[in-house]
Amino acid sequence: MESSRLKNIIILILVLLNVSLLLSLGGRRSAQRSARRQATEQLVELFAANEVTLDPDLIPRQSPPAGRAMARDVEQDQKVAEALLGQQLTCTEQGSGTYAVYAFNSDQGAAIFRANGSFEAAVTRSVEDVESFCRTFCREFGYQDLTFDLTGGSGTATATQYHNGYPVVGCTVVFSIADSQLSTVKGTHLPDTYTEVPLTEEPLSATTALSAFLSAYQASGGVACAVTDITLCYELQSTTSAPMSLVPVWRISTDIAGSVYYVNCITGTVTHS
């Protein structure tokens, strides 16, 4: 009887402990929501005071991803070259080691790939449906947001590469088209191989990034009337002699056509395109 009563007491204590923990957790979450709501309201008011409209529903709650150091993959460079120039390729290496330049040639054109991910190809092959070709290439190699600017079968097609579900600033491909045939393809392509770079400090939230943007906007004498979009991206950082790396950034678009700001999630640096 005493043993049974002791068990019941222990069970009751555990139940009360779990209830207490749940209430405590709920209280913390409620406090966090309240603090976030208050910070958002204050930010919207601050933007309004500077005559810029900010819709609070535009502000994301997600956290930025970690950065990534990309490892060059010559085999993948060759796959891109084959997609553009056909299967029968010859390859020559200019220079040596990590920063070598690789040149691919076939009877359908030539292409050069550099260590910073950039490439360019002169294409002489005949393509039956150039728009379909561009779509297939983009789908195979991770480019999205393909747009065509053609008049009478000539012009360009442009797309942005995505990585880990995010668009990559500074990583695009441009197809030049003449008389419904490819003439050149230029751009940057990311390898699949990478090493995640752990964050050494808490990355900037969307709210903090917007505050940094507003300061830069005020200093530059901006004339935007509204923030129209806030999204996470990667920014490609590379040179002709340095490995590629991806850094998370917040992209802030305004109602001024082509006026986009990027806020580095690590340093808080604001750049304007």
Side-chain angles (χ1 to χ4, degrees), residues 102-138:
Y102 289 88
F104 297 93
N105 292 272
S106 76
D107 60 359
Q108 300 183 83
I112 292 177
F113 288 77
R114 300 178 180 84
N116 65 348
S118 66
F119 71 92
E120 52 190 72
V123 183
T124 58
R125 68 187 295 181
S126 178
V127 178
E128 182 176 347
D129 184 339
V130 69
E131 292 189 28
S132 177
F133 178 92
C134 293
R135 291 190 182 93
T136 299
F137 180 92
C138 290

Coordinates of all heavy atoms in Angstrom, one line a residue, residues 102-138:
Y102 N 40.9 25.8 -67.7 CA 40.7 24.7 -68.6 C 39.9 25.1 -69.8 O 38.9 25.8 -69.8 CB 39.9 23.6 -67.8 CG 40.6 22.9 -66.7 CD1 40.7 23.4 -65.4 CD2 41.4 21.8 -67.0 CE1 41.4 22.8 -64.4 CE2 42.1 21.1 -66.0 CZ 42.1 21.7 -64.7 OH 42.9 21.1 -63.7
A103 N 40.5 24.7 -71.0 CA 39.9 25.0 -72.3 C 39.4 23.7 -72.9 O 40.1 22.7 -73.0 CB 40.9 25.7 -73.2
F104 N 38.1 23.8 -73.3 CA 37.5 22.6 -74.0 C 37.1 23.0 -75.4 O 36.6 24.1 -75.7 CB 36.2 22.3 -73.2 CG 36.4 21.8 -71.8 CD1 36.3 22.7 -70.8 CD2 36.7 20.5 -71.5 CE1 36.5 22.3 -69.4 CE2 36.9 20.1 -70.2 CZ 36.8 21.0 -69.2
N105 N 37.4 22.1 -76.3 CA 37.2 22.4 -77.7 C 36.5 21.2 -78.4 O 36.7 20.0 -78.0 CB 38.5 22.6 -78.5 CG 39.2 23.9 -78.0 OD1 38.9 25.0 -78.6 ND2 40.0 23.9 -77.0
S106 N 35.6 21.5 -79.4 CA 35.0 20.4 -80.2 C 34.7 21.0 -81.5 O 35.0 22.2 -81.8 CB 33.7 19.9 -79.6 OG 32.7 20.9 -79.8
D107 N 34.2 20.3 -82.5 CA 33.9 20.8 -83.8 C 32.6 21.7 -83.7 O 32.2 22.2 -84.7 CB 33.7 19.7 -84.8 CG 32.6 18.7 -84.4 OD1 32.0 18.9 -83.3 OD2 32.4 17.8 -85.2
Q108 N 32.1 21.9 -82.5 CA 30.9 22.7 -82.3 C 31.1 23.9 -81.5 O 30.2 24.6 -81.0 CB 29.7 21.9 -81.7 CG 29.4 20.7 -82.6 CD 28.2 19.9 -82.0 OE1 27.0 20.3 -82.2 NE2 28.5 18.8 -81.2
G109 N 32.4 24.2 -81.2 CA 32.7 25.4 -80.5 C 33.9 25.2 -79.5 O 34.5 24.2 -79.5
A110 N 34.1 26.3 -78.6 CA 35.1 26.2 -77.6 C 34.7 26.9 -76.4 O 33.8 27.8 -76.4 CB 36.4 26.9 -78.2
A111 N 35.2 26.5 -75.2 CA 34.8 27.1 -74.0 C 36.0 27.2 -73.0 O 37.0 26.3 -73.1 CB 33.7 26.3 -73.3
I112 N 36.0 28.1 -72.1 CA 37.1 28.3 -71.1 C 36.4 28.4 -69.8 O 35.4 29.1 -69.6 CB 37.9 29.6 -71.4 CG1 38.7 29.5 -72.7 CG2 38.8 29.9 -70.2 CD1 39.5 30.7 -73.0
F113 N 37.0 27.7 -68.8 CA 36.5 27.7 -67.4 C 37.6 28.1 -66.5 O 38.7 27.5 -66.5 CB 36.0 26.3 -67.0 CG 34.7 25.9 -67.7 CD1 34.7 25.5 -69.0 CD2 33.5 25.9 -67.0 CE1 33.5 25.1 -69.7 CE2 32.3 25.6 -67.7 CZ 32.3 25.2 -69.0
R114 N 37.3 29.0 -65.6 CA 38.3 29.5 -64.6 C 38.0 29.1 -63.2 O 36.9 28.6 -62.9 CB 38.3 31.1 -64.7 CG 38.6 31.6 -66.1 CD 38.6 33.1 -66.2 NE 38.9 33.6 -67.5 CZ 38.0 33.7 -68.5 NH1 36.8 33.4 -68.3 NH2 38.4 34.2 -69.7
A115 N 39.0 29.3 -62.4 CA 38.9 28.8 -61.0 C 37.8 29.5 -60.2 O 37.3 29.0 -59.2 CB 40.3 28.9 -60.3
N116 N 37.5 30.8 -60.6 CA 36.5 31.5 -59.8 C 35.1 31.2 -60.2 O 34.1 31.9 -59.8 CB 36.7 33.0 -60.0 CG 36.6 33.5 -61.4 OD1 36.5 32.7 -62.3 ND2 36.5 34.8 -61.6
G117 N 34.9 30.2 -61.1 CA 33.6 29.7 -61.5 C 33.1 30.3 -62.8 O 32.1 29.9 -63.4
S118 N 33.8 31.4 -63.3 CA 33.3 32.0 -64.5 C 33.7 31.1 -65.7 O 34.7 30.4 -65.7 CB 34.0 33.4 -64.7 OG 35.4 33.3 -64.8
F119 N 32.9 31.2 -66.8 CA 33.1 30.5 -68.0 C 32.6 31.3 -69.2 O 31.7 32.2 -69.0 CB 32.5 29.1 -68.0 CG 31.0 29.1 -68.0 CD1 30.4 29.0 -69.2 CD2 30.3 29.2 -66.9 CE1 29.0 29.0 -69.3 CE2 28.9 29.2 -66.9 CZ 28.2 29.1 -68.2
E120 N 33.1 31.0 -70.3 CA 32.5 31.6 -71.6 C 32.7 30.6 -72.7 O 33.7 29.9 -72.8 CB 33.2 32.9 -71.9 CG 34.7 32.9 -71.9 CD 35.3 34.3 -72.0 OE1 35.2 35.0 -71.0 OE2 35.8 34.7 -73.1
A121 N 31.7 30.5 -73.6 CA 31.8 29.6 -74.7 C 31.3 30.2 -76.0 O 30.3 31.0 -76.0 CB 30.9 28.4 -74.3
A122 N 32.0 30.0 -77.0 CA 31.6 30.3 -78.4 C 31.0 29.1 -79.0 O 31.7 28.1 -79.1 CB 32.8 30.9 -79.2
V123 N 29.7 29.1 -79.4 CA 29.0 28.0 -79.8 C 28.7 28.1 -81.3 O 28.2 29.1 -81.8 CB 27.7 27.8 -79.0 CG1 27.0 26.5 -79.5 CG2 27.9 27.8 -77.5
T124 N 29.1 27.0 -82.0 CA 28.8 27.0 -83.5 C 27.8 25.9 -83.9 O 27.5 25.7 -85.0 CB 30.1 26.7 -84.3 OG1 30.7 25.5 -83.9 CG2 31.1 27.9 -84.0
R125 N 27.3 25.1 -82.9 CA 26.4 24.0 -83.1 C 25.1 24.5 -83.6 O 24.7 25.6 -83.2 CB 26.3 23.1 -81.9 CG 25.6 23.8 -80.8 CD 25.5 22.9 -79.5 NE 24.8 21.7 -79.7 CZ 24.6 20.8 -78.7 NH1 25.2 21.0 -77.5 NH2 23.9 19.7 -78.9
S126 N 24.4 23.7 -84.3 CA 23.0 24.1 -84.7 C 22.0 23.5 -83.7 O 22.0 22.4 -83.4 CB 22.7 23.5 -86.1 OG 21.4 23.8 -86.5
V127 N 21.1 24.4 -83.2 CA 20.2 24.0 -82.2 C 18.8 24.2 -82.8 O 18.4 25.2 -83.3 CB 20.3 24.9 -81.0 CG1 19.2 24.5 -79.9 CG2 21.7 24.8 -80.3
E128 N 18.0 23.1 -82.8 CA 16.7 23.1 -83.4 C 15.7 24.1 -82.7 O 15.0 24.9 -83.4 CB 16.1 21.7 -83.4 CG 14.7 21.6 -84.1 CD 14.2 20.2 -84.1 OE1 15.0 19.3 -83.9 OE2 13.0 20.0 -84.4
D129 N 15.7 24.1 -81.4 CA 14.8 25.0 -80.6 C 15.7 25.7 -79.5 O 15.9 25.1 -78.5 CB 13.7 24.2 -80.0 CG 12.6 25.1 -79.3 OD1 13.0 26.3 -79.0 OD2 11.5 24.7 -79.1
V130 N 16.1 26.9 -79.8 CA 17.1 27.5 -78.9 C 16.5 27.8 -77.5 O 17.1 27.7 -76.5 CB 17.7 28.8 -79.5 CG1 16.6 29.9 -79.6 CG2 18.9 29.3 -78.7
E131 N 15.2 28.2 -77.5 CA 14.6 28.5 -76.2 C 14.4 27.2 -75.3 O 14.7 27.2 -74.1 CB 13.2 29.1 -76.4 CG 13.3 30.5 -77.0 CD 12.0 31.2 -77.0 OE1 11.1 30.9 -76.1 OE2 11.8 32.1 -77.9
S132 N 14.1 26.1 -76.0 CA 14.0 24.8 -75.3 C 15.4 24.4 -74.8 O 15.6 23.9 -73.7 CB 13.4 23.8 -76.2 OG 13.4 22.5 -75.5
F133 N 16.4 24.7 -75.6 CA 17.8 24.3 -75.2 C 18.2 25.1 -74.0 O 18.8 24.5 -73.0 CB 18.8 24.7 -76.4 CG 20.2 24.4 -76.1 CD1 20.8 23.2 -76.4 CD2 21.0 25.4 -75.4 CE1 22.1 23.0 -76.1 CE2 22.3 25.2 -75.1 CZ 22.9 23.9 -75.5
C134 N 17.9 26.4 -73.9 CA 18.2 27.2 -72.8 C 17.5 26.7 -71.5 O 18.1 26.6 -70.4 CB 17.9 28.7 -73.0 SG 18.9 29.5 -74.3
R135 N 16.3 26.3 -71.6 CA 15.5 25.8 -70.5 C 16.1 24.5 -70.0 O 16.2 24.3 -68.8 CB 14.0 25.7 -70.9 CG 13.3 27.0 -71.1 CD 11.8 26.7 -71.3 NE 11.1 28.0 -71.6 CZ 10.8 28.4 -72.8 NH1 11.1 27.7 -73.8 NH2 10.1 29.5 -73.0
T136 N 16.4 23.6 -70.9 CA 17.0 22.3 -70.5 C 18.3 22.5 -69.8 O 18.6 21.9 -68.7 CB 17.2 21.4 -71.7 OG1 15.9 21.2 -72.3 CG2 17.8 20.1 -71.3
F137 N 19.2 23.4 -70.3 CA 20.5 23.7 -69.7 C 20.3 24.2 -68.3 O 21.0 23.8 -67.3 CB 21.3 24.7 -70.6 CG 22.6 25.1 -70.0 CD1 23.7 24.4 -70.4 CD2 22.7 26.1 -69.1 CE1 25.0 24.7 -69.8 CE2 24.0 26.5 -68.6 CZ 25.1 25.8 -68.9
C138 N 19.4 25.2 -68.1 CA 19.2 25.8 -66.8 C 18.6 24.8 -65.8 O 19.0 24.7 -64.6 CB 18.2 27.0 -66.9 SG 18.9 28.4 -67.8

